């Protein structure tokens, strides 16, 4: 049994599974012999059980952890029942820690259960047998915290700190922390995102290594490795939120890189560890590159490329997918007309190198970054829709012919965003192209993804609607309304305020005489599905109401029914806004005044115009737009009475803003 157990390793899953099964079989044969042979009974002891448990702890069989714990429970039960042979199979520290290892390796969707299992096992060994975990046991618990606990968990971070203090204060050498202990706690604090997590990680780093830059003296309490530096770099990146933060972090990282290099090259300070554990790696390079890129400094690209060349020449570090994506990201943030051309050239070189086996493959993020750059392109010579489709088809071809990544949902949505951005009356095929892609995605999802095309989500549908919105002639009104109806009937995709708002905007840009009535029907659907009278309404609700008011304001002036509908629906909307506690704003008041200006007879409308403007002044929502619409809607006399001067032809709301009271 022991011989079989020793030939198991950590890399060959199938082999380890076979070893565990073989050791288990031998163990069962030994137990059977125990029933008839005293010599076999003597062979059943703690070590025997530990050999079997250890074999299962190295196995990736889905039942491995469960079987390991069953064996431990056999040992516990024998002792609980005061069995005559209990002393021979009393569980020891190794018994529990092998079971803990088995659970930590367990692949499970219920990750919180793994932590509960590990904590329970440690509690059992302490309470039932007065056994303290060794460094290995606590490191396994910390590993579970680092990999299976929910993010932003301050309790886990505090508990890990408590464990470290216990380990450092213990006189038991087997319990003293090692660098893995510190690295795991660094990761746990970094993930906790508490107010103090940045200070805690830096404080912990100082416990490991004290760097006195003034005297060029470095004192190590415990010998670090490159993962220690990676952990502190990760924390710094997560704690940064502004360009200024990233600029400071990038300089701090460069200083720590020098420290890491000094330790790597200084063999005199190495006692037991090989200095290769301190060799800078790709994670270090990518972390510094990310900070430089996000600092958005003018020389960021030059510094990233300089770092890449230095790391390759000094340590043989080759750029990977993340490294290449950082370069593409830097290019995609530029807004000049050459940014997209440079970004796509970088992507094409990465593709070619991958196909020739020279570098890592581009991933979805690579293509999405280039697509985002394309969507923002200011180059008039680029046919954005056509370019987006070329990128999508190139990615598909790379996936098919060279086993590259298949385009995922985010990639498809980025393609649709490029198409919708350019969709207008000059590019009449763009909206049709967007719907063609949507149909392809829907058809694939109905075939259970057999073609590898992702199932559309709400963003997909909203982006297609965005493509329709940019056509002024209302050509896609029917398509937009049909799509909205389908979403309303879909149990898994609930249209949001953006969906409703966009469909209403498409109606607003059309020349349909009944568009106000159709927009109001959509608004009533939105109210039914999204608005509760018991809660304060959000600003997204106001956008939808204002969109319908805008439809009314631009209804057909030549159709008598359209004119009546515009006034009637405008008044109904203002009543609904009051009923559902939706706060009006300057867009609301400007739209109402525009409707009055277009559809109420000039004689006799001053009373209504004055009341709307009064509400705007009371709420502090008089903007340049409101003043402009007030000038069109009010009679010269009302305008003079309210503003103090007669309206001048060509005067703008912006200029009048300078003379109205500030409290308006």
């Amino acid at each position: 049994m022991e011989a079989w157990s020793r030939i198991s390793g950590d890399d060959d899953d199938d082999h380890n599974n076979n070893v565990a099964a073989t050791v288990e079989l031998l163990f069962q044969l030994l137990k059977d012999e125990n029933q008839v042979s005293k010599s076999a009974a003597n062979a059943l002891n703690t070590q025997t059980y530990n050999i079997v448990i250890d074999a299962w702890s190295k196995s990736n069989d889905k039942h491995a952890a469960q079987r390991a714990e069953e064996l431990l429970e056999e040992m516990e039960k024998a002792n609980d029942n005061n069995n005559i042979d209990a002393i021979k199979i009393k569980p020891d520290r190794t018994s529990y820690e092998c079971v803990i290892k088995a659970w930590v390796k367990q692949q499970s969707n219920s990750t919180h259960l793994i932590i509960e299992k590990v904590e329970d096992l440690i509690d059992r060994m302490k309470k039932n047998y007065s056994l303290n975990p060794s460094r290995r046991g606590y490191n396994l618990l910390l590993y579970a915290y680092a990999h299976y606990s929910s993010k932003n968990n301050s309790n886990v971070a505090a508990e890990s700190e408590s464990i470290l203090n216990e380990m450092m204060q213990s006189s038991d050498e087997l319990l003293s922390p090692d660098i893995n202990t510190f690295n795991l706690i660094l990761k746990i604090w970094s993930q906790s995102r508490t107010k103090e997590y940045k200070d805690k990680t830096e404080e912990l780093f100082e416990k490991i290594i004290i760097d006195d830059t003034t005297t060029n003296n470095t004192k190590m309490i415990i010998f670090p490795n490159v993962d220690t530096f990676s952990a502190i770099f990760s924390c710094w990146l997560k704690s940064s939120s502004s360009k200024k933060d990233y600029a400071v972090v990038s300089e701090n990282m460069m200083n720590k890189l020098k420290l890491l290099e000094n330790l790597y090259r200084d063999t005199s300070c190495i006692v037991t560890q090989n200095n290769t554990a301190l060799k800078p790696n790709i994670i270090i390079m990518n972390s510094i590159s990310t900070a430089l890129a996000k600092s958005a400094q003018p020389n960021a690209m030059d510094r990233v490329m300089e770092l890449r060349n230095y790391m390759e020449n000094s340590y043989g570090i080759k750029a990977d997918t993340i490294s290449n994506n950082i370069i593409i990201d830097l290019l995609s943030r530029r807004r000049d007309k050459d940014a997209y051309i440079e970004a796509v050239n970088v992507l094409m070189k990465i593709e070619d190198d991958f196909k020739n086996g020279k570098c890592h493959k581009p991933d979805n993020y690579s293509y999405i970054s280039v697509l985002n750059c394309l969507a923002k392109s200011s180059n008039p010579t680029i046919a954005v829709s056509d370019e987006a489709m070329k990128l999508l088809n190139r990615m598909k071809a790379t996936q098919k012919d060279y086993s590259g990544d298949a385009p995922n949902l985010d990639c498809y949505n980025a393609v649709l965003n490029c198409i919708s951005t350019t969709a207008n009356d000059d590019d009449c095929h763009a909206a049709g192209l967007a719907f063609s892609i949507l149909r392809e995605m829907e058809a694939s999802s109905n075939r259970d993804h057999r073609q590898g095309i992702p199932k559309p989500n709400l963003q997909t549908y909203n982006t297609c609607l965005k493509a329709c919105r940019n056509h002024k002639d209302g050509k896609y009104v029917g398509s937009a309304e049909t799509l909205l109806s389908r979403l309303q009937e879909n149990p898994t995709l609930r249209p949001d305020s953006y969906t409703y708002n966009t469909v209403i905007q498409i109606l607003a840009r059309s020349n349909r005489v009944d568009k106000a009535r159709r927009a109001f029907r959509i608004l009533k659907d939105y109210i039914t599905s999204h608005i509760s009278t018991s809660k304060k309404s959000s600003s997204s609700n106001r956008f939808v109401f204002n969109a319908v008011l805008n439809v009314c304001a631009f209804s057909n002036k030549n159709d008598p029914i359209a004119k009546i509908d515009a006034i009637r629906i405008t008044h109904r909307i203002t009543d609904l806004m009051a009923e559902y506690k939706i706060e009006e704003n300057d867009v609301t008041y400007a739209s109402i005044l525009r409707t009055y200006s277009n559809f109420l007879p000039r004689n006799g409308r001053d009373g209504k115009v004055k009341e709307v403007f009064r509400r705007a002044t009371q709420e502090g929502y008089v903007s340049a737009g409101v003043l402009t619409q007030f000038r069109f809607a009010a009679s010269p006399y009302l305008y003079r009475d309210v503003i103090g001067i007669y309206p001048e032809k060509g005067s703008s709301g912006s200029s009048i803003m300078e003379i109205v009271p500030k409290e308006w």
Side-chain angles (χ1 to χ4, degrees):
M1 284 172 55
E2 187 172 3
W4 268 100
S5 181
R6 284 177 178 174
I7 65 172
S8 60
D10 293 326
D11 300 324
D12 192 335
D13 293 343
D14 291 336
H15 175 69
N16 290 345
N17 292 347
N18 291 334
V19 167
T22 303
V23 172
E24 175 75 26
L25 177 61
L26 293 171
F27 178 67
Q28 293 302 328
L29 290 172
L30 189 61
K31 287 177 74 176
D32 291 341
E33 288 183 26
N34 177 43
Q35 304 297 322
V36 294
S37 170
K38 187 174 181 180
S39 60
N42 290 331
L44 277 176
N45 54 33
T46 300
Q47 183 183 6
T48 313
Y49 272 85
N50 286 352
I51 289 170
V52 188
I53 294 173
D54 181 57
W56 281 116
S57 76
K58 295 172 182 175
S59 169
N60 281 340
D61 185 282
K62 63 180 180 179
H63 302 299
Q66 181 180 338
R67 179 56 187 148
E69 186 162 7
E70 286 172 356
L71 290 166
L72 176 64
E73 288 171 351
E74 277 186 30
M75 300 171 78
E76 290 176 326
K77 188 175 180 181
N79 281 268
D80 291 344
N81 294 339
N82 294 317
N83 189 301
I84 192 169
D85 293 323
I87 190 66
K88 297 178 184 177
I89 58 171
K90 182 179 180 180
D92 61 9
R93 181 186 277 171
T94 301
S95 312
Y96 282 95
E97 290 183 351
C98 284
V99 178
I100 290 171
K101 178 183 177 182
W103 276 113
V104 168
K105 285 183 64 179
Q106 182 77 29
Q107 299 295 318
S108 171
N109 293 326
S110 303
T111 53
H112 66 283
L113 295 178
I114 293 176
I115 292 177
E116 290 176 8
K117 278 284 187 184
V118 174
E119 290 177 331
D120 175 64
L121 286 162
I122 287 178
D123 188 55
R124 277 155 55 185
M125 68 187 290
K126 284 182 173 182
K127 286 184 177 179
N128 299 341
Y129 298 97
S130 300
L131 293 170
N132 285 320
S134 67
R135 177 194 310 120
R136 179 195 187 203
Y138 272 134
N139 280 357
L140 286 167
L141 174 59
L142 292 170
Y143 182 93
Y145 284 160
H147 292 83
Y148 299 134
S149 65
S150 58
K151 306 303 183 206
N152 308 331
N153 193 328
S154 58
N155 294 332
V156 164
E159 178 61 23
S160 68
E161 187 87 359
S162 175
I163 291 170
L164 176 62
N165 292 333
E166 179 185 339
M167 295 173 75
M168 293 187 73
Q169 292 167 12
S170 174
S171 58
D172 184 354
E173 288 187 10
L174 292 176
L175 191 55
S176 60
D178 62 5
I179 192 57
N180 292 328
T181 313
F182 282 91
N183 288 349
L184 287 166
I185 299 175
L186 279 169
K187 182 172 183 177
I188 291 165
W189 270 115
S190 181
Q191 291 175 170
S192 72
R193 298 298 186 94
T194 59
K195 290 181 180 179
E196 57 184 348
Y197 83 96
K198 184 172 181 288
D199 293 336
K200 282 289 186 181
T201 50
E202 291 179 350
E203 177 186 318
L204 198 59
F205 187 85
E206 289 176 6
K207 282 184 180 179
I208 304 169
I209 184 166
I210 301 171
D211 179 29
D212 187 348
T213 54
T214 58
T215 62
N216 198 29
N217 179 38
T218 300
K219 176 185 176 184
M220 279 153 293
I221 296 176
I222 195 164
F223 208 88
N225 58 27
V226 70
D227 292 339
T228 315
F229 288 81
S230 298
I232 195 73
F233 283 12
S234 173
C235 173
W236 284 343
L237 287 174
K238 290 174 182 175
S239 66
S240 303
S241 57
S242 66
K243 294 176 182 178
K244 185 177 179 181
D245 289 342
Y246 285 112
V248 172
V249 162
S250 65
E251 296 308 315
N252 290 341
M253 286 181 173
M254 292 297 290
N255 290 332
K256 284 291 182 280
L257 174 60
K258 292 177 184 176
L259 172 60
L260 177 62
E261 290 182 298
N262 289 338
L263 292 173
Y264 171 63
R265 291 168 181 159
D266 183 9
T267 56
S268 64
C269 66
I270 296 172
V271 182
T272 58
Q273 296 198 27
N274 191 319
N275 68 335
T276 54
L278 283 158
K279 184 179 179 181
N281 60 16
I282 188 68
I283 298 174
I284 295 293
M285 185 182 86
N286 287 342
S287 297
I288 300 174
S289 298
T290 299
L292 287 168
K294 291 189 175 182
S295 71
Q297 297 176 84
N299 63 342
M301 176 68 84
D302 293 337
R303 293 190 67 186
V304 169
M305 294 306 300
E306 181 183 337
L307 177 66
R308 281 178 60 160
N309 292 334
Y310 171 75
M311 296 293 266
E312 182 173 357
N313 294 333
S314 301
Y315 304 106
I317 298 172
K318 300 284 187 182
D320 65 0
T321 301
I322 295 174
S323 316
N324 293 326
N325 287 347
I326 291 168
I327 299 298
I328 294 173
D329 260 351
L330 276 165
L331 290 167
S332 69
R333 289 181 191 144
R334 285 169 35 189
R335 298 206 174 246
D336 58 272
K337 62 185 181 65
D338 296 325
Y340 168 71
I341 295 172
E342 291 183 35
V344 79
N345 285 340
V346 170
L347 178 62
M348 289 174 68
K349 184 178 186 309
I350 297 169
E351 281 182 338
D352 291 341
D353 286 346
F354 166 62
K355 292 171 184 177
N356 294 321
K358 294 181 181 179
C359 76
H360 294 265
K361 65 183 175 184
D363 60 8
N364 271 277
Y365 189 92
S366 313
Y367 289 90
I368 291 168
S369 292
V370 175
L371 286 164
N372 290 340
C373 185
L374 174 62
K376 295 183 291 186
S377 175
S378 59
N379 192 328
T381 65
I382 295 174
V384 175
S385 295
D386 294 340
E387 282 292 315
M389 291 305 299
K390 285 180 185 177
L391 284 167
L392 178 63
N393 291 331
R394 263 218 325 263
M395 189 175 185
K396 287 180 178 179
T398 303
Q399 187 267 331
K400 179 182 177 182
D401 299 334
Y402 297 93
S403 299
D405 287 352
N408 63 13
L409 179 58
D410 289 337
C411 188
Y412 269 86
N413 284 344
V415 171
L416 287 169
N417 182 55
C418 288
I419 294 169
S420 66
T421 300
T422 61
N424 53 45
D425 295 326
D426 297 326
D427 188 5
C428 57
H429 80 289
L433 179 59
F435 273 94
S436 173
I437 294 172
L438 175 62
R439 285 192 295 270
E440 180 185 25
M441 295 173 74
E442 289 177 327
S444 177
S445 65
N446 292 334
R447 291 192 294 268
D448 300 324
H449 304 280
R450 288 176 190 172
Q451 292 187 349
I453 299 172
K455 182 179 180 180
N457 63 2
L458 184 59
Q459 182 183 343
T460 313
Y461 289 97
N462 284 347
T463 309
C464 287
L465 288 171
K466 178 183 172 185
C468 299
R469 183 185 62 193
N470 294 335
H471 288 274
K472 294 180 181 179
D473 59 2
K475 176 180 178 181
Y476 291 98
V477 167
S479 299
E481 289 180 321
T482 300
L483 192 149
L484 175 60
S485 297
R486 282 167 48 204
L487 286 174
Q488 289 171 330
E489 295 167 1
N490 190 317
T492 59
L493 289 176
R494 180 173 180 246
D496 59 9
S497 60
Y498 183 92
T499 317
Y500 284 93
N501 196 27
T502 307
V503 175
I504 293 167
Q505 288 177 4
I506 294 167
L507 273 167
R509 295 172 77 96
S510 74
N511 54 12
R512 294 174 183 263
V513 294
D514 62 342
K515 63 183 181 181
R517 248 179 295 168
R518 294 169 79 151
F520 188 61
R521 279 200 300 270
I522 293 171
L523 175 63
K524 288 194 288 186
D525 288 343
Y526 178 77
I527 291 171
T528 301
S529 61
H530 283 73
I531 298 181
S532 169
T533 54
S534 62
K535 296 180 181 178
K536 185 177 180 180
S537 185
S538 67
S539 58
S540 60
N541 294 333
R542 182 170 61 201
F543 293 149
V544 180
F545 278 79
N546 283 346
V548 183
L549 286 172
N550 183 62
V551 174
C552 294
F554 290 92
S555 291
N556 193 320
K557 294 181 181 180
N558 300 317
D559 187 271
I561 296 177
K563 293 167 70 174
I564 294 170
D565 282 345
I567 297 296
R568 178 179 61 82
I569 292 171
T570 294
H571 290 159
R572 184 73 184 105
I573 291 172
T574 56
D575 291 341
L576 288 170
M577 292 181 81
E579 179 182 347
Y580 292 107
K581 301 179 180 63
I582 295 174
E583 185 179 337
E584 298 163 317
N585 65 0
D586 60 317
V587 177
T588 313
Y589 295 120
S591 297
I592 296 171
L593 290 171
R594 179 68 180 241
T595 300
Y596 286 173
S597 172
N598 285 342
F599 302 117
L600 280 179
R602 180 170 287 278
N603 293 332
R605 75 182 181 204
D606 268 2
K608 291 184 178 296
V609 170
K610 184 177 181 180
E611 172 58 22
V612 171
F613 192 78
R614 182 191 65 78
R615 295 207 314 267
T617 60
Q618 282 185 334
E619 298 295 331
Y621 279 123
V622 174
S623 63
V626 171
L627 286 169
T628 298
Q629 297 308 322
F630 179 63
R631 179 167 67 87
F632 292 142
S635 67
Y637 306 105
L638 174 60
Y639 189 88
R640 181 200 61 191
D641 289 345
V642 174
I643 304 299
I645 59 173
Y646 280 107
E648 297 180 10
K649 188 174 181 180
S651 64
S652 66
S654 300
S655 61
I656 302 301
M657 281 290 290
E658 298 175 4
I659 64 172
V660 301
K662 289 184 178 180
E663 59 268 22
W664 285 9

